Amino acid sequence: MKILVCVTSVPDTTAKISFTDGDTKFNKAGVTYITGPYDDYALSRAVELKEKLGGTVTVLNVGESDSEQVIRKCLAIGADDAIRVNCEPKDSYFTAVQIATIAAQENYDLILMGRESIDFNSGVVHGLVGEMLGIPSLSPVMKLEIEGTTAKMTREIEGGKEDIEASLPLVLGCQEPIAEWKIPNMRGIMTARTKPLRVVEPVGDDLTITEKFTLPAPKGACKMIPAENAEELIALLKNEAKVL
Amino acid sequence: MSVIIFTEIDNGALKKSSLEAVYYGAEVAKMKGTTATVLAIGEASEAELAKAGNFGATKVLHANDARLATGNIQAYADVLASAVTQENAEVVILAKSSLGDAVAARVAGKLKAAIVSNVTELPDLSGGFKVTRSIYTGKAFATVEMKSDKKIIAIKKNAVSVVESGASAGVEVFTPALKDADFAVKVTGTHKASSTISLPEADIVVSAGRGLKGPENWGIVEDLANALGAATACSKPVSDLDWRPHHEHVGQTGIKVSPNLYIACGISGAIQHLAGVNSSKVIVVINKDPEAPFFKAADYGIVGDVFDILPRLTKAVKAL
Ligand SMILES: Cc1cc2nc3c(=O)[nH]c(=O)nc-3n(C[C@@H](O)[C@H](O)[C@H](O)COP(=O)(O)OP(=O)(O)OC[C@H]3O[C@@H](n4cnc5c(N)ncnc54)[C@H](O)[C@@H]3O)c2cc1C
Ligand SMILES: Cc1cc2nc3c(=O)[nH]c(=O)nc-3n(C[C@H](O)[C@H](O)[C@H](O)COP(=O)(O)OP(=O)(O)OC[C@H]3O[C@@H](n4cnc5c(N)ncnc54)[C@H](O)[C@@H]3O)c2cc1C
């Protein structure tokens, strides 16, 4: 089983979001970067499958050199080697082209991704890569078992889930409870330092330009209703907020 | 150079989120001096589909091949790409959903089209084609210029305020060629909750957290939701503990919702929870702890015990 796991290096879920340079750049000052939480599920399942079925797990990130901290953590968790495409990935299509270009050079049985990045939240890179490679793409996958060359999966849909079967190779966007998040152990951290990390240059151009960022307007004060008059809330929602 | 709207059919009718996308698409078509065409895949009557006209579409292409019944992503993407070619469309609009996102992504791959998701407003066409999207799970917005010839836009709920026109659209049968390879993925079973209102579509959401103490207490949440015609949702620990199904979990790592009204009961308001609900129009928080962080993100708040407050609110709603 030859698995590629695509990971993002993203601001921690509690990070304060702000911008610099006239609201054109994300303010990295004081922000801790983590592996995308969904990408962590993808990696954990990949490592479990490798432990069970043998094979290799390669980690791929499209990002600048400061993503390497996240890449090393993925190696510590159990990936065998890593590739970084050296660029600032600003657009889903551009990111997908980088991933598809690498994947087309190798025959991966599985390409695992997160359901969505937690910075841009698009949930489209897996579909784009699947199309570019001419293989099926499915997301969000919450269960994945491999039997020979067949994958048996459960995918979440609005209000429920569906069971799916397809032949490898596949591109999948993962979410819980596909695996338990793995935490690197000491041995993993030591060996990660010497595992190969290849840096390649990007191909192609962006199809979009991000012009500027804005923050939402601050919330007004919360109107408190005393518990003894709780029923008044309903009248306020109807007559003042006009949402009933 | 028309605009195409990819819609979804649920129980023989166009989904509410799809109708919002139709309206959005029709507004974009107006700005560009062209017409809006709807693509509808699946079983629905002509009369039902003609209703897309009420939301601004002039024409509906109806693809109803029996093989399309299970929502096969690759086949849907081929149908949409054929429709784009036939209509010489420049812009494709859809409402974000598990099927829509997947189909749109593959079509973007086929057409070398820029794809922007979570769009929150109509585009600005005054200099290039610019859209505003929500990023960092609702914590910020980005203005993005789309440079490619073909453009795909996935809108977030409440991106436009719909105005119905009373018009009706012409419906045409659409039968693009389908490839066997499109059906390589087999859906072997579907498990759908029989509950009536889908969470991402709902205008009102009643959500509850660990403050409810256990799954046996959800009756008071469901009663309020039923009285309001609302969908139910929950915090992550509640679905992790299996008190509620995973598809009800909202937040940064769950479903993102933007209803008109979000009522949070016994939820502390952790930043990861807020990330999934902060684009709701009006937020109500009911929590017994006056220091709960959720009150800072709320429009209306009640400091009180959910076991006392919720049944009283249900009664007040029923009395309306
Ligand atoms: C100004 C700016 C600078 C950025 N700089 C970096 C950076 O230096 N390093 C970084 O990692 N990210 C960076 N990002 C994030 C960026 O790479 C997004 O993740 C990317 O644009 C895809 O977003 P999406 O919402 O379309 O992905 P989605 O479609 O939501 O992603 C789905 C899955 O695709 C895979 N995927 C997505 N993006 C990448 C990627 N970049 N590399 C590998 N797999 C990926 C992941 O498995 C992810 O879970 C930056 C974003 C911006 C706006
Ligand atoms: C990477 C990451 C991702 C995450 N993603 C998500 C996510 O997507 N969604 C999410 O929800 N969380 C997420 N979390 C978890 C989040 O940090 C919080 O732990 C979680 O939201 C807390 O859930 P809660 O409010 O139900 O429980 P608690 O924090 O335990 O809060 C319970 C609240 O109920 C109140 N209460 C208790 N009894 C009563 C009563 N009788 N009447 C009224 N009020 C009462 C209490 O005062 C308290 O405020 C994530 C965490 C991490 C680290």
Side-chain angles (χ1 to χ4, degrees):
Chain A
M1 182 76 31
K2 198 169 156 177
I3 308 175
L4 181 68
V5 182
C6 302
V7 300
T8 52
S9 164
V10 289
D12 167 43
T13 52
T14 60
K16 187 162 164 38
I17 305 297
S18 65
F19 303 98
T20 58
D21 291 31
D23 284 338
T24 58
K25 275 206 165 64
F26 178 69
N27 183 4
K28 290 186 178 178
V31 171
T32 313
Y33 280 77
I34 57 166
T35 316
Y38 295 113
D39 311 347
D40 250 339
Y41 286 117
L43 175 67
S44 300
R45 188 65 190 136
V47 171
E48 285 174 5
L49 287 172
K50 180 184 86 162
E51 282 164 0
K52 203 165 128 196
L53 306 168
T56 55
V57 174
T58 300
V59 165
L60 171 60
N61 169 259
V62 183
E64 296 177 291
S65 57
D66 48 11
S67 309
E68 290 196 4
Q69 181 210 343
V70 155
I71 297 175
R72 287 286 171 207
K73 190 177 163 215
C74 296
L75 292 170
I77 283 172
D80 300 285
D81 63 335
I83 306 168
R84 180 172 68 82
V85 182
N86 185 30
C87 58
E88 191 187 62
K90 290 178 240 170
D91 154 324
S92 315
Y93 192 96
F94 175 79
T95 304
V97 167
Q98 310 314 318
I99 297 173
T101 304
I102 306 262
Q105 296 159 9
E106 305 279 335
N107 287 312
Y108 295 106
D109 300 297
L110 268 179
I111 301 177
L112 298 187
M113 304 193 186
R115 159 201 189 133
E116 65 182 37
S117 71
I118 65 159
D119 49 8
F120 269 30
N121 317 102
S122 309
V124 298
V125 168
H126 21 75
L128 282 160
V129 170
E131 183 63 34
M132 288 167 185
L133 297 173
I135 60 177
S137 51
L138 291 161
S139 176
V141 174
M142 50 201 309
K143 202 169 157 237
L144 166 66
E145 298 297 339
I146 304 291
E147 289 173 18
T149 57
T150 303
K152 295 194 168 170
M153 295 157 284
T154 304
R155 182 172 94 98
E156 188 163 87
I157 53 175
E158 279 76 24
K161 45 197 179 182
E162 59 188 19
D163 303 322
I164 296 183
E165 265 183 51
S167 297
L168 303 178
L170 293 170
V171 184
L172 307 178
C174 305
Q175 75 168 28
E176 64 183 355
I178 195 163
E180 293 273 342
W181 278 335
K182 290 197 186 320
I183 298 159
N185 59 26
M186 209 49 214
R187 207 182 88 85
I189 295 167
M190 297 304 285
T191 53
R193 293 193 190 142
T194 53
K195 286 181 178 171
L197 193 172
R198 187 156 61 93
V199 178
V200 301
E201 291 306 313
V203 294
D205 302 310
D206 290 341
L207 299 183
T208 61
I209 308 169
T210 299
E211 271 195 348
K212 68 170 192 328
F213 298 104
T214 41
L215 292 170
K219 267 270 179 205
C222 175
K223 192 173 218 168
M224 298 306 292
I225 298 137
E228 55 277 17
N229 305 335
E231 291 80 2
E232 266 175 27
L233 170 72
I234 303 302
L236 286 168
L237 292 176
K238 188 172 159 67
N239 304 321
E240 187 179 79
K242 299 196 171 22
V243 288
L244 293 188
Chain B
M1 279 298 182
S2 66
V3 173
I4 285 210
I5 303 100
F6 172 82
T7 59
E8 291 175 51
I9 294 173
D10 192 22
N11 278 323
L14 291 170
K15 277 170 64 170
K16 199 163 139 235
S17 52
S18 290
L19 291 172
E20 191 177 321
V22 172
Y23 185 77
Y24 184 103
E27 289 295 299
V28 175
K30 256 193 237 163
M31 290 178 182
K32 298 195 72 79
T34 178
T35 55
T37 301
V38 164
L39 173 66
I41 304 176
E43 222 168 291
S45 70
E46 194 176 323
E48 197 54 49
L49 296 175
K51 286 184 187 164
N54 193 16
F55 296 83
T58 39
K59 181 164 82 177
V60 177
L61 299 177
H62 186 204
N64 191 16
D65 188 308
R67 288 190 291 171
L68 296 170
T70 49
N72 187 294
I73 291 160
Q74 280 166 287
Y76 274 42
D78 261 350
V79 175
L80 176 55
S82 308
V84 169
T85 310
Q86 175 182 307
E87 299 295 314
N88 188 23
E90 178 192 342
V91 187
V92 176
I93 310 288
L94 67 139
K96 247 190 111 56
S97 78
S98 67
L99 179 67
D101 291 351
V103 172
R106 294 198 75 105
V107 172
K110 286 180 201 289
L111 304 175
K112 200 171 191 302
I115 177 164
V116 178
S117 195
N118 288 312
V119 170
T120 56
E121 288 168 29
L122 284 168
D124 170 4
L125 307 187
S126 58
F129 195 110
K130 292 177 192 165
V131 290
T132 301
R133 68 184 303 189
S134 123
I135 56 170
Y136 298 108
T137 332
K139 289 183 223 163
F141 299 92
T143 308
V144 180
E145 179 175 2
M146 303 177 78
K147 295 188 291 177
S148 52
D149 295 340
K150 308 251 186 230
K151 302 160 187 78
I152 303 188
I153 298 175
I155 62 167
K156 201 165 164 167
K157 184 175 160 69
N158 279 333
V160 276
S161 313
V162 171
V163 183
E164 299 182 30
S165 68
S168 138
V171 180
E172 287 175 16
V173 174
F174 185 57
T175 46
L178 293 169
K179 303 190 290 272
D180 285 343
D182 284 344
F183 298 93
V185 172
K186 300 265 177 282
V187 176
T188 53
T190 305
H191 318 272
K192 247 185 147 162
S194 51
S195 76
T196 39
I197 299 155
S198 122
L199 180 54
E201 299 257 305
D203 285 330
I204 305 179
V205 174
V206 179
S207 188
R210 208 142 52 177
L212 266 284
K213 310 276 190 285
E216 66 283 4
N217 297 326
W218 242 258
I220 54 171
V221 178
E222 284 168 343
D223 288 346
L224 179 60
N226 288 340
L228 288 165
T232 51
C234 66
S235 66
K236 177 168 157 52
V238 165
S239 83
D240 287 349
L241 290 164
D242 260 338
W243 294 0
R244 300 296 293 173
H246 188 269
H247 62 256
E248 283 198 3
H249 151 203
V250 293
Q252 181 134 27
T253 51
I255 309 275
K256 283 80 185 170
V257 294
S258 45
N260 296 334
L261 173 60
Y262 184 82
I263 304 181
C265 316
I267 304 177
S268 56
I271 191 160
Q272 298 93 353
H273 184 86
L274 296 181
V277 307
N278 54 10
S279 25
S280 308
K281 274 194 193 151
V282 173
I283 294 180
V284 171
V285 169
I286 303 159
N287 196 305
K288 69 172 185 193
D289 174 8
E291 301 298 322
F294 219 145
F295 285 116
K296 291 206 177 66
D299 300 283
Y300 296 96
I302 300 177
V303 176
D305 184 341
V306 287
F307 296 98
D308 163 41
I309 306 284
L310 293 193
R312 285 168 54 201
L313 293 181
T314 305
K315 225 168 131 193
V317 172
K318 285 186 176 157
L320 277 183

